[in-house]
Amino acid sequence: AAQVGRLLGLQEDAANALLSQYKRTTGLDEATSRFIKTLRGREEEGTSWVTTWGRRRLRVPKDHLYAGLNYLIQGSCADILKDRLLALDAAGYGDWLRLPIHDEVLMEIPETELGCVEEVAEILSDIPDFPLTVSASPPMMRWGEKYT
């Protein structure tokens, strides 16, 4: 709460009240507690685990169970990105792939082929039972132009 207070310019008691209201409204405390309880039930030899979207099993140290949710989210995001990169390659776009950057894919698409951008976005977002929004940036000469 102290850090939230500093970031938002609030006194610590006001930050505590805000966090409590947020947790009550979102059910975050309850959901997180259930998740950690599940991890505790999986303990073996001092560790627990989470299974990602791609069915990888990631170990979570028992003294860091709170990090298990992050392992699950970040690990699953990595699995999905890798899966979609393979799908792009299978669809014939592999030669244009340049670099995955966190949650972005940098591609070098020839100017004469820019009409494929919609299909590329469709391939990237085609994940059954998983809502994923994909958007494309306009053509640019350098990736950094997106942030200037």
Side-chain angles (χ1 to χ4, degrees):
Q3 185 176 5
V4 170
R6 279 193 303 276
L7 289 171
L8 298 176
L10 299 173
Q11 297 293 327
E12 191 169 345
D13 58 338
N16 271 323
L18 180 66
L19 285 172
S20 293
Q21 181 181 357
Y22 174 77
K23 290 173 183 178
R24 273 192 318 276
T25 305
T26 63
L28 186 63
D29 260 358
E30 184 181 320
T32 303
S33 294
R34 281 194 317 266
F35 183 79
I36 289 175
K37 191 175 191 177
T38 299
L39 291 181
R40 281 195 184 111
R42 294 179 180 169
E43 287 182 24
E44 59 182 45
E45 298 178 16
T47 65
S48 188
W49 72 89
V50 294
T51 303
T52 66
W53 178 87
R55 294 183 174 60
R56 289 185 301 134
R57 187 171 165 170
L58 304 177
R59 293 192 174 277
V60 181
K62 74 175 185 179
D63 57 341
H64 289 87
L65 293 180
Y66 61 88
L69 188 57
N70 188 49
Y71 288 18
L72 176 63
I73 293 168
Q74 294 294 328
S76 294
C77 288
D79 292 347
I80 290 168
L81 179 60
K82 292 169 192 169
D83 178 80
R84 297 296 78 207
L85 290 173
L86 291 172
L88 284 173
D89 184 53
Y93 297 113
D95 289 345
W96 300 344
L97 291 171
R98 293 296 174 255
L99 183 67
I101 307 162
H102 301 291
D103 61 349
E104 297 181 43
V105 178
L106 180 64
M107 297 180 73
E108 188 174 348
I109 301 174
E111 284 187 46
T112 57
E113 302 292 334
L114 290 177
C116 75
V117 171
E118 194 172 303
E119 182 182 356
V120 167
E122 208 170 284
I123 291 168
L124 288 170
S125 64
D126 184 25
I127 303 167
D129 301 320
F130 195 92
L132 185 64
T133 302
V134 175
S135 61
S137 297
M140 58 189 89
M141 295 303 293
R142 290 180 176 73
W143 175 75
E145 290 175 13
K146 180 177 179 180
Y147 301 101
T148 57

